[in-house]
Amino acid sequence: MLKPQVFVALIIASAVALVHGRQTTVVPKAKFVPLHPAASTTSLQLTLVLPPTNIDGLHAALYNVSDHKSPNYGKHLSKSDVEAFVAPKPESVQAVTAWLAQHDIDVEVASPSGDMLRIDISVAKANELLAANFIEFKDKDTGATLTRTLSASIPDEVESHLQYLFPTTQFITPLHPNRPPFQVVSPTPEKPTSKRQGVDVCSIDVVPQCLEDYYHVPAAPGTAPGNSIAVAGYLNEIATEDDLEFFFLVWRPDVTTTPEFNVVSIDGGVTSGVGTSEASLDIQYTVGVATGVPTTLYSVGDSSPQGFIDIVNFLLGLDELPLVLTTSYGFNESDFQGSEDFANLSSSTFCNAYAQLGARGTSVFFASGDNGVYSFAFDSECDGTTFGPSFPSGCPFLTSVGATTGFDSGTEVVADFSGGGFSNIFPQPSYQSAAVKNYLDALGSTNAGLFNRTGRAYPDISAQGINYVTRINGTFFLLEGTSASTPVWASVVALLNDALLNAGKPPLGFINPLLYSEGAAALNDITSGSNTGCGAQGFPALAGWDPATGLGSPDYDKLLALVMGL
Ligand SMILES: *[C@@H]1O[C@H](CO)[C@@H](O)[C@H](O)[C@H]1NC(C)=O
Ligand SMILES: *[C@@H]1O[C@H](CO)[C@@H](O)[C@H](O)[C@H]1NC(C)=O
Ligand SMILES: *[C@@H]1O[C@H](CO)[C@@H](O)[C@H](O)[C@H]1NC(C)=O
Ligand SMILES: *[C@@H]1O[C@H](CO)[C@@H](O)[C@H](O)[C@H]1NC(C)=O
Ligand SMILES: *[C@@H]1O[C@H](CO)[C@@H](O)[C@H](O)[C@H]1NC(C)=O
């Protein structure tokens, strides 16, 4: 159940008292039931995060290249520039490796900058190393088992050299196969009515042509060398060439070349199999909208937060990054919370990974969640006491995408499930403070006490999210969710990048500073509806930014004029 008041139970005991070394203690949510001590020979893979040399420098550099008024706009950092900011100090590497060597533990470097190390050790060894007691827990809600300890300590000599160590005391449930972040609405006829009859039909079935008509997305293929889209896949989801080809046959008859996409496996993710819904949706609405832009599905085998880190580390290791990364999955932010310390270190590990991608010129998109102000929970799990934001949408260094619905001119409204709200971990970045203040002033006392007025507010933008015609294992289905909206925005930005690259200009990279300034006028402002997730009143869409649809949906023509003029 999503009971946000329960997360205060996840605390670090004596957070300030421990001058000698650092002990972390947690009280997990009640849904985690201890089963039995972990077998001493069970193997554990732990990731150690060392403090970055200059994280403020990375953030400043990110804003510098992302602020279109800066002389450095678009001068994205090189791989080595970014690594210099986040690489650990030599004394940290020395202290941590010496400590592990004392325990005869081999270390593997797990990130290109060296800020993450990885060790594979037995439970017995981990218990000894960390004065821990690893136990098998079962998540009653999802059935997942987690090997975790209620307490872990690190010695004095590494205390200041080890920022974060996981998974030890972190009770974050992996993405769950039976809880996809979208809903299959209904199968649609095998042979859909042939040609679109104007946008009216789009209120029933959304296909690429609807998005082209309504958002002015060009149908002409992108041509710029070096352009690319990365789609993150989890839960062993896969898309197939057969489904994609049939989708094109029916819905993109204007395209005469065979559509294709690449698959790259990370953490042993599947590379073939029967097409599944989320991956098919994501591929059909990237390849099918960003015509001609090379698209790769990164199939990540680990659906825990570790997999979210592994894909970023994989990408950061490339010399040429994908210019857009779209992810239609997320977690509950409350899972990352506890003491401020815990929240800070766990969440900033992720958020700083996205900042690195942005600094190098990748636009990072995440779905905002599919249950309104209760992120990824289902109705039965909401208690109405406080709203439950999603993760990582609260990270200020990525672009969070909500959902809208309705195609008749001027009537695009909030899709009521559109995730939105305010982070309890990340403070509000300055690029959005004026927009958020306007909203809060207009909102008055509505929902007072249910959300954190000082937190990073999301989503940033939105797009249609209901009735997406998707071919899955040989049948057309209608899908809905911010899962649909997110690849559409990724495609819009990929096509903008195509025009920019062809004009010899840099790609858009981290777009939030631009969107919250001049960019807002190039979007369709959504002013009607609210995100009533869990039956809560939710946040109403109002003129300007709102925590249901962000700044609005794309108008490609206006966006193109804006970015080409930068
Ligand atoms: C969000 O929280 C609810 C309630 O604890 C849980 O059932 C659900 O699985 C969580 N969703 C994710 C994606 O972790
Ligand atoms: C930002 O850009 C300006 C102008 O090029 C430069 O002088 C400054 O050093 C940059 N700051 C950072 C933090 O990169
Ligand atoms: C972490 O802690 C610092 C100071 O304690 C605070 O300024 C910051 O906003 C916190 N949150 C994050 C996500 O860094
Ligand atoms: C509200 O958000 C801020 C970050 O902006 C955080 O420091 C604070 O702890 C949050 N408050 C609550 C009650 O979660
Ligand atoms: C995929 O389609 C085939 C052929 O219709 C069917 O036999 C199979 O059960 C389907 N698989 C899944 C997982 O739906």
Side-chain angles (χ1 to χ4, degrees):
M1 288 178 298
L2 186 68
K3 292 195 169 155
Q5 80 277 19
V6 174
F7 61 58
V8 295
L10 188 65
I11 51 163
I12 292 185
S14 56
V16 276
L18 273 149
V19 193
H20 300 294
R22 185 170 71 212
Q23 184 190 31
T24 306
T25 308
V26 302
V27 179
K29 288 180 189 173
K31 69 172 184 167
F32 294 103
V33 183
L35 298 177
H36 49 78
S40 58
T41 53
T42 298
S43 179
L44 288 179
Q45 187 178 68
L46 302 180
T47 299
L48 298 85
V49 184
L50 311 192
T53 300
N54 182 8
I55 204 65
D56 293 340
L58 174 71
H59 298 164
L62 171 65
Y63 283 122
N64 219 5
V65 299
S66 311
D67 171 4
H68 59 289
K69 294 189 193 86
S70 151
N72 277 3
Y73 178 72
K75 295 181 184 157
H76 297 119
L77 280 67
S78 68
K79 183 170 184 287
S80 58
D81 287 345
V82 165
E83 288 170 7
F85 283 121
V86 294
K89 296 193 172 111
E91 56 266 36
S92 294
V93 179
Q94 162 62 28
V96 171
T97 52
W99 170 53
L100 297 173
Q102 278 165 24
H103 292 265
D104 291 318
I105 296 170
D106 293 333
V107 191
E108 190 192 323
V109 177
S111 68
S113 67
D115 68 337
M116 295 187 203
L117 305 175
R118 191 159 293 168
I119 57 178
D120 283 287
I121 55 178
S122 67
V123 161
K125 194 91 183 172
N127 284 341
E128 169 206 316
L129 181 74
L130 303 170
N133 179 19
F134 277 89
I135 296 172
E136 301 289 352
F137 289 87
K138 182 171 185 155
D139 177 345
K140 271 196 301 190
D141 287 354
T142 67
T145 53
L146 281 72
T147 308
R148 296 291 186 273
T149 172
L150 297 176
S151 154
S153 302
I154 54 172
D156 282 354
E157 63 272 22
V158 295
E159 207 271 322
S160 63
H161 299 295
L162 185 53
Q163 171 168 302
Y164 189 55
L165 173 61
F166 69 95
T168 54
T169 53
Q170 301 82 15
F171 284 80
I172 305 171
T173 307
L175 302 173
H176 190 257
N178 294 336
R179 309 179 72 95
F182 63 86
Q183 290 138 41
V184 174
V185 179
S186 59
T188 207
E190 181 61 21
K191 292 213 191 312
T193 45
S194 53
K195 196 108 172 72
R196 311 304 309 166
Q197 308 279 322
V199 290
D200 285 357
V201 182
C202 300
S203 296
I204 306 159
D205 289 341
V206 176
V207 297
Q209 196 188 326
C210 300
L211 303 166
E212 290 166 4
D213 290 350
Y214 203 73
Y215 294 147
H216 307 141
V217 180
T223 54
N227 199 10
S228 54
I229 298 178
V231 175
Y234 294 90
L235 294 170
N236 287 326
E237 286 251 1
I238 195 74
T240 70
E241 201 60 54
D242 281 356
D243 285 335
L244 183 65
E245 278 180 34
F246 199 90
F247 180 84
F248 265 69
L249 201 66
V250 180
W251 302 118
R252 291 301 311 270
D254 56 312
V255 177
T256 49
T257 51
T258 307
E260 43 186 41
F261 65 102
N262 302 312
V263 182
V264 170
S265 170
I266 295 172
D267 294 336
V270 297
T271 55
S272 63
V274 172
T276 59
S277 37
E278 178 70 59
S280 302
L281 173 70
D282 294 351
I283 286 299
Q284 285 162 30
Y285 285 88
T286 46
V287 180
V289 177
T291 316
V293 178
T295 299
T296 301
L297 174 66
Y298 290 88
S299 169
V300 185
D302 186 335
S303 294
S304 77
Q306 179 70 54
F308 277 55
I309 283 293
D310 289 344
I311 183 176
V312 178
N313 281 332
F314 178 91
L315 296 174
L316 288 171
L318 304 174
D319 288 320
E320 295 288 325
L321 283 185
L323 299 185
V324 169
L325 170 64
T326 175
T327 307
S328 290
Y329 296 88
F331 298 92
N332 296 326
E333 189 185 75
S334 66
D335 285 355
F336 286 77
Q337 279 193 295
S339 74
E340 185 162 339
D341 223 27
F342 178 91
N344 250 353
L345 297 178
S346 55
S347 56
S348 61
T349 296
F350 291 83
C351 194
N352 289 330
Y354 303 124
Q356 292 176 62
L357 290 175
R360 286 183 59 190
T362 300
S363 304
V364 179
F365 296 96
F366 270 91
S368 67
D370 285 350
N371 207 349
V373 290
Y374 287 95
S375 51
F376 291 101
F378 285 149
D379 287 4
S380 59
E381 301 162 346
C382 313
D383 74 350
T385 310
T386 49
F387 294 159
S390 67
F391 186 92
S393 276
C395 167
F397 306 127
L398 55 80
T399 304
S400 171
V401 185
T404 65
T405 186
F407 270 91
D408 304 332
S409 173
T411 61
E412 195 175 9
V413 302
V414 181
D416 62 2
F417 57 75
S418 178
F422 295 76
S423 172
N424 287 312
I425 298 178
F426 297 99
Q428 217 161 81
S430 61
Y431 62 73
Q432 67 171 189
S433 54
V436 175
K437 182 177 184 305
N438 281 344
Y439 182 80
L440 291 176
D441 287 349
L443 185 69
S445 59
T446 303
N447 295 332
L450 294 175
F451 68 97
N452 190 331
R453 301 171 73 92
T454 66
R456 146 53 163 157
Y458 73 96
D460 300 299
I461 46 178
S462 52
Q464 294 283 333
I466 295 189
N467 290 345
Y468 274 61
V469 175
T470 308
R471 184 101 181 151
I472 307 164
N473 187 29
T475 306
F476 278 118
F477 287 87
L478 290 180
L479 304 189
E480 69 179 35
T482 51
S483 284
S485 319
T486 310
V488 168
W489 255 105
S491 297
V492 165
V493 167
L495 290 170
L496 292 170
N497 280 340
D498 212 82
L500 289 167
L501 295 178
N502 278 333
K505 291 168 181 274
L508 287 168
F510 175 50
I511 57 171
N512 293 11
L514 177 65
L515 290 175
Y516 280 90
S517 50
E518 276 84 336
L523 305 178
N524 308 309
D525 188 6
I526 316 299
T527 57
S528 181
S530 66
N531 50 355
T532 54
C534 282
Q537 186 181 1
F539 290 110
L542 298 175
W545 178 88
D546 54 69
T549 61
L551 296 162
S553 65
D555 184 323
Y556 183 87
D557 288 342
K558 291 182 184 166
L559 284 165
L560 182 67
L562 169 69
V563 303
M564 291 300 279
L566 292 176

